[in-house]
Amino acid sequence: PHASKKHDEL
Amino acid sequence: MNIFRLFGDLSHLAAIAILLLKIWKTRSCAGVSGKTQLLFAVCFITRYIDLFLHFVSLYNTEKVMKLIYISASVFTCYLIFFKFKATYDGNHDSMRAEFLIVPAAGLACLINTKFDAIEILWTFSIYLEAVAILPQLFLISKTGEAETITSHYLFAQGSYRALYILNWIYRYHYESHVDTIAIVAGVVQTILYCDFFYLYITKVVKGQKIVLPA
């Protein structure tokens, strides 16, 4: 799994 | 988007709406911690700071949701500290918010994915949200009881992050997406509700009121 670059959650 | 995240966000919206309705209808914020609501407002503003930095065309629901969260939480603080200030239970809302803000800010500077302003603010917001409910739980333990409507608010508020944990499991499994900081903070946040969840499920669901010590 890759750590998400952009936070796409509220 | 998956079902867990959808219901998580809906549960969060429901919590905000329940609290607003309670204060507006009863014209009182008795039993509500103003500090917790202030901390939530700080969380939303620091997390969605990008809305202020560059103009956003409100074309997608995510931007609209962020604006709803910010405006609703600020409006709730306005109701508590201004409009219905006379009903604010300041004596029992006595947990020192600084003891939550300072460690969250310090930890955000130490443990983050990238040391830049926006990322630090986002990390601070995540850490702060994990503990933001403490003044509210503290107030209930001091007053020894919680109004039924306030219990529903807390249940919705606690369920939102619990559902997000399911969302993170789903995304790990199907999208191999991991956001460790949000996951760890979200687990801590949900654990803080366990005691309340137990009381809610054993009492409120049966129509009884939550009275402490249980």
Side-chain angles (χ1 to χ4, degrees):
Chain A
H2 60 282
S4 61
K5 285 287 160 286
K6 186 183 166 312
H7 303 295
D8 61 353
E9 293 174 340
L10 287 178
Chain B
M1 176 60 89
N2 59 68
I3 193 85
F4 304 112
R5 201 163 124 211
L6 174 67
F7 279 94
D9 291 334
L10 291 176
S11 178
H12 198 184
L13 271 179
I16 292 169
I18 290 169
L19 185 64
L20 270 177
L21 275 174
K22 174 251 185 296
I23 297 175
W24 190 259
K25 286 267 188 264
T26 64
R27 304 187 70 73
S28 157
C29 58
V32 175
S33 162
K35 293 185 177 177
T36 283
Q37 297 312 312
L38 269 178
L39 293 176
F40 280 142
V42 169
C43 285
F44 291 135
I45 291 167
T46 51
R47 192 174 305 182
Y48 306 141
I49 196 93
D50 57 311
L51 288 184
F52 304 114
L53 296 183
H54 35 268
F55 176 72
V56 289
S57 46
L58 297 184
Y59 61 91
N60 73 353
T61 46
E62 189 180 308
K63 302 272 190 269
V64 174
M65 288 281 277
K66 289 177 177 180
L67 279 176
I68 290 172
Y69 284 163
I70 290 176
S71 42
S73 62
V74 168
F75 182 59
T76 303
C77 291
Y78 160 74
L79 292 182
I80 293 171
F81 293 106
F82 295 93
K83 192 158 178 60
F84 302 121
K85 183 178 177 53
T87 64
Y88 170 53
D89 188 358
N91 300 327
H92 290 125
D93 192 13
S94 54
M95 176 178 264
R96 305 294 303 275
E98 309 86 300
F99 291 169
L100 303 175
I101 295 174
V102 174
L107 200 60
C109 294
L110 293 175
I111 305 176
N112 52 61
T113 37
K114 205 169 39 171
F115 198 85
D116 78 36
I118 301 287
E119 189 60 28
I120 298 274
L121 281 175
W122 178 86
T123 311
F124 165 67
S125 152
I126 290 288
Y127 293 152
L128 188 62
E129 186 190 354
V131 293
I133 201 64
L134 286 176
Q136 177 65 58
L137 297 176
F138 182 77
L139 182 144
I140 289 176
S141 69
K142 294 269 283 202
T143 56
E145 63 173 359
E147 281 178 39
T148 302
I149 189 73
T150 310
S151 306
H152 295 321
Y153 159 72
L154 274 169
F155 182 72
Q157 183 68 36
S159 305
Y160 130 71
R161 217 60 180 170
L163 286 163
Y164 255 71
I165 293 173
L166 299 179
N167 150 65
W168 290 321
I169 294 169
Y170 176 94
R171 295 191 73 182
Y172 174 78
H173 189 265
Y174 291 103
E175 303 164 22
S176 70
H177 165 286
V178 174
D179 196 341
T180 315
I181 285 177
I183 293 171
V184 173
V187 168
V188 167
Q189 181 171 336
T190 305
I191 288 172
L192 294 178
Y193 283 85
C194 284
D195 176 34
F196 167 78
F197 279 146
Y198 173 75
L199 287 172
Y200 184 85
I201 289 164
T202 54
K203 295 225 173 155
V204 177
V205 173
K206 288 181 191 141
Q208 296 161 11
K209 202 169 154 180
I210 285 186
V211 178
L212 297 173

